[in-house]
């Protein structure tokens, strides 16, 4: 890829896209594929009327390449993307992250997928005897649709408080996605790219009254687990990824759905409108006149936790012999090293006037909330207040391990895999993890950075909620690795 063009395609509805310029051809809304060790060497060209950044979510990158919110590319400006893909094979993604405009730009379509592969990853496909086309890489988003037309992003104060929820699923940008697959194993790498919606992913057999079709969890944010985990449902919050295998033999169509659940959005009333100085300086992406819904037009939305159809697998071709057994071992995960020192305690709170807070403070772009020594091992204790919302917390630059959960709400606790209260997705390497109201999580972090010249000196990163309305609502902090 020579250039990654960031452009608006529809000034009325405010839709945007990434275009990969490969020299000989251009690919709109690309899914990028790299092998571990490959180099990215491209120019980002911002053709939006707003500042933007390109954040490669989950990758180990230097501050200069991280695309963080404090490092925007102005309208008409360019920036070099130059880094080595150092991470394990897995599904990563890239999205806009300019402070104050993230929710609007991601909702507009500025979210793409990056699949990183390696020999172990290919060996798994061989072991599953995957038919051509049976490995699918999908971004799951939601949008508001009325009379068959996508509505532009125009959050109310209540949307800013709870998050922007649509009424239909978009799968790789398409409504009503029906994906042809062959009988046998299907491997799905799924990213939740919704602004705010949590998904409780399950599969249903369309021919058998929606009977549950079990599946195996193969991997999470940072690649494969040590061993597959048999499941019937899994939580996937904003920015989290799962890699699953599902045997569709004997089925004609399998529906992927988000099951209804109580997401425990609790507030003491009130609403929250975002107030960003930067938003005064640049126009919205959609035509200003239709940003507010016209009088009399109410677009029904499905709140967080409502059941929603995601996509359908249409199983074609002749049924084949029984598919091979899943391998019992998928990968070797590094041991989680829990530091002996006192945990770093981080509180998640909400204040009716100040909004969403990390350690009692809203985001300030010029602030470094805390510093961590390069190479340090730390334990972070993340505690969400009882009257709160689920917050999918994302750490830039570093994968981490979940050690323990306490106070997890019922529907999630029912999925716990061991006495530590960990969920199936907690068994892998994570970069985003949901913290439910009244829940406390303990994470093990390793702040080692690569030796390359690019990582010399102080490196600043972000820690924030990936409910994008909360993120734009200042639920974000900068920290430094020194
Ligand atoms: Cu949040």
């Amino acid at each position: 890829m020579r250039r990654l063009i960031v452009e608006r395609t529809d000034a009325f509805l405010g839709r945007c896209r990434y275009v990969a310029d490969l020299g000989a051809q251009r690919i709109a809304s690309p899914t990028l594929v790299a092998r571990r060790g490959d180099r990215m060497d491209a120019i980002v060209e911002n053709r939006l009327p707003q500042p933007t950044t390109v954040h490669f979510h989950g990758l180990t990158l230097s501050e200069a390449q991280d695309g963080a919110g404090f490092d925007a590319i102005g309208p008409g400006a360019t920036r070099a993307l130059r880094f080595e893909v150092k991470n394990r094979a897995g599904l990563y993604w890239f999205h806009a992250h300019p402070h104050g405009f993230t929710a609007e730009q991601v909702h507009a379509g500025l979210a793409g997928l990056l699949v990183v592969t390696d020999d172990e990853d290919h060996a798994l496909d061989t072991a599953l005897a995957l038919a051509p086309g049976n490995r699918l890489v999908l971004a799951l988003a939601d949008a508001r649709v009325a009379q068959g037309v996508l509505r532009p992003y125009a959050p109310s104060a209540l949307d800013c408080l709870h998050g922007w929820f649509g009424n239909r699923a978009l799968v790789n940008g398409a409504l009503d996605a029906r994906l042809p697959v062959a009988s046998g194993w299907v491997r799905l790498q799924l990213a939740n790219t919704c602004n705010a919606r949590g998904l409780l992913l399950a599969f249903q057999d369309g021919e058998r009254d929606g009977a549950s079709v079990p599946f195996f969890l193969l991997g999470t944010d940072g690649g494969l687990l040590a061993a597959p985990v048999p499941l019937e449902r899994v939580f996937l919050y904003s920015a989290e990824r799962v890699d699953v295998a599902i045997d569709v033999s004997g089925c004609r169509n399998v529906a992927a759905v988000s099951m209804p659940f109580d997401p425990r959005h609790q507030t003491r009333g009130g609403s929250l409108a975002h107030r960003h100085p930067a938003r005064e300086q640049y126009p919205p992406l959609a035509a200003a006149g239709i940003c507010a819904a016209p009088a009399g037009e109410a677009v029904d939305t499905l709140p967080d936790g409502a059941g929603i159809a995601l996509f359908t697998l249409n199983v074609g071709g002749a049924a084949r012999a029984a598919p091979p057994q899943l391998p019992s071992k998928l990968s070797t995960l590094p041991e989680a090293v829990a530091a002996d020192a006192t945990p770093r305690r981080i509180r998640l709170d909400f204040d009716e006037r100040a909004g969403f807070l990390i350690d009692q403070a809203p985001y300030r772009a010029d602030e470094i909330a805390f510093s961590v020594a390069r190479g340090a091992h730390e334990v972070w204790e993340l505690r969400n207040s009882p009257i709160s919302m689920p917050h999918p917390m994302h750490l830039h630059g570093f994968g981490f391990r979940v050690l323990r959960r306490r106070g997890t709400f019922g529907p999630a606790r029912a999925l716990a895999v061991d006495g530590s209260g960990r969920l199936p997705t907690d068994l892998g390497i994570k970069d985003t993890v949901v913290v439910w109201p009244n829940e406390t999580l303990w994470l093990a972090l390793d702040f080692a950075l690569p030796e390359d010249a690019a990582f010399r000196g102080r490196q600043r990163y972000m820690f924030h909620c990936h409910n994008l309305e909360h993120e734009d609502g200042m639920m974000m902090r900068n920290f430094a690795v020194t």
Side-chain angles (χ1 to χ4, degrees):
M1 181 167 69
R2 290 183 182 179
R3 287 185 304 165
L4 184 66
I5 300 163
V6 189
E7 64 179 20
R8 182 168 61 172
T9 54
D10 179 338
F12 188 65
L13 294 175
R15 302 303 296 173
C16 299
R17 66 180 182 184
Y18 291 116
V19 177
D21 176 1
L22 308 179
Q25 66 176 143
R26 289 184 176 197
I27 300 173
S29 306
T31 290
L32 305 179
V33 181
R35 277 185 74 89
R36 189 177 191 175
D38 280 357
R39 288 200 64 84
M40 168 72 80
D41 195 349
I43 300 293
V44 177
E45 217 176 278
N46 178 13
R47 296 186 181 172
L48 305 180
Q50 298 178 343
T52 195
T53 77
V54 182
H55 170 56
F56 277 82
H57 184 120
L59 292 193
T60 303
L61 297 172
S62 64
E63 174 185 325
Q65 291 293 316
D66 188 47
F70 50 73
D71 194 16
I73 309 166
T78 60
R79 182 72 62 88
L81 271 184
R82 207 160 282 147
F83 59 80
E84 182 187 324
V85 177
K86 295 178 181 291
N87 296 72
R88 300 174 84 228
L91 178 61
Y92 301 88
W93 60 302
F94 55 103
H95 63 82
H97 202 321
H99 180 41
F101 302 90
T102 300
E104 182 183 15
Q105 290 187 13
V106 171
H107 179 266
L110 294 179
L113 301 175
L114 167 68
V115 186
V116 177
T117 66
D118 63 8
D119 290 341
E120 195 172 61
D121 179 64
H122 288 302
L124 176 58
D125 287 356
T126 306
L128 295 173
L130 282 189
N134 273 28
R135 178 168 172 174
L136 297 166
V137 184
L138 306 175
L140 311 177
D142 64 338
R144 292 183 190 175
V145 178
Q147 281 105 43
V149 179
L150 287 183
R151 303 302 306 166
Y153 184 73
S156 66
L158 213 56
D159 292 329
C160 292
L161 180 61
H162 290 271
W164 167 272
F165 299 103
N167 54 15
R168 301 274 295 279
L170 289 177
V171 175
N172 289 357
L175 292 164
D176 298 319
R178 304 183 73 84
L179 307 161
V181 294
S183 189
W185 286 112
V186 176
R187 183 174 174 191
L188 298 167
Q189 287 179 284
L190 308 174
N192 182 339
T193 63
C194 297
N195 276 34
R197 181 180 298 281
L199 302 173
L200 179 53
L201 179 71
F203 297 92
Q204 298 174 340
D205 187 334
E207 302 286 303
R208 295 183 184 87
D209 285 338
S212 173
V213 181
F215 60 94
F216 290 86
L217 184 69
L218 304 175
T220 59
D221 303 352
L224 293 175
L225 304 179
V229 181
L231 291 175
E232 294 209 15
R233 59 192 63 187
V234 67
F235 277 104
L236 185 64
Y237 256 79
S238 294
E240 291 188 296
R241 288 89 70 202
V242 288
D243 188 342
V244 303
I246 176 166
D247 177 8
V248 297
S249 306
C251 302
R252 289 173 61 188
N253 60 76
V254 174
V257 300
S258 181
M259 306 284 287
F261 66 97
D262 170 8
R264 303 230 321 172
H265 284 236
Q266 304 171 94
T267 60
R268 300 179 200 90
S271 61
L272 186 70
H274 294 170
R275 300 172 298 270
H276 277 279
R279 291 211 62 97
E280 312 283 311
Q281 297 169 36
Y282 301 97
L285 292 172
I290 57 162
C291 251
E297 187 208 55
V299 180
D300 290 332
T301 62
L302 290 172
D304 198 16
I308 186 168
L310 299 173
F311 60 90
T312 306
L313 300 173
N314 285 340
V315 186
R320 305 191 309 165
Q325 287 262 312
L326 270 183
S328 57
K329 183 177 186 321
L330 297 173
S331 185
T332 303
L333 283 175
E335 279 296 315
V337 180
D340 296 329
T342 313
R344 187 183 291 280
R345 294 198 167 86
I346 298 175
R347 294 282 310 265
L348 311 178
D349 283 299
F350 176 73
D351 177 279
E352 284 86 345
R353 278 174 303 168
F356 296 99
L357 304 172
I358 299 175
D359 281 339
Q360 299 298 322
Y363 182 66
R364 278 183 44 197
D366 58 355
E367 180 201 52
I368 292 175
F370 56 90
S371 291
V372 174
R374 186 179 289 249
H377 290 278
E378 294 201 351
V379 171
W380 285 15
E381 183 186 299
L382 297 187
R383 182 162 184 200
N384 197 353
S385 64
I387 306 295
S388 187
M389 298 185 192
H391 294 299
M393 300 304 297
H394 172 49
L395 182 71
H396 284 217
F398 302 90
F400 54 82
R401 309 297 292 277
V402 179
L403 298 172
R404 192 152 67 92
R405 286 178 185 261
R406 192 178 67 199
T408 307
F409 96 126
R413 193 172 58 228
L415 300 174
V417 291
D418 57 26
S420 68
R422 290 187 302 168
L423 304 180
T425 45
D426 295 338
L427 300 176
I429 293 174
K430 297 291 291 170
D431 54 55
T432 310
V433 69
V434 63
V435 190
W436 300 96
N438 204 32
E439 190 181 39
T440 307
L441 257 70
W442 286 267
L443 311 177
L445 301 108
D446 176 352
F447 286 98
L449 280 172
E451 298 294 326
D452 314 7
F455 290 87
R456 280 204 198 116
R458 184 190 77 166
Q459 302 289 320
R460 285 179 303 163
Y461 295 103
M462 308 187 104
F463 176 63
H464 64 85
C465 181
H466 222 289
N467 175 319
L468 298 182
E469 282 69 35
H470 294 183
E471 175 180 334
D472 278 347
M474 306 292 193
M475 194 173 181
M476 188 156 66
R477 303 306 289 275
N478 299 332
F479 69 98
V481 180
T482 56

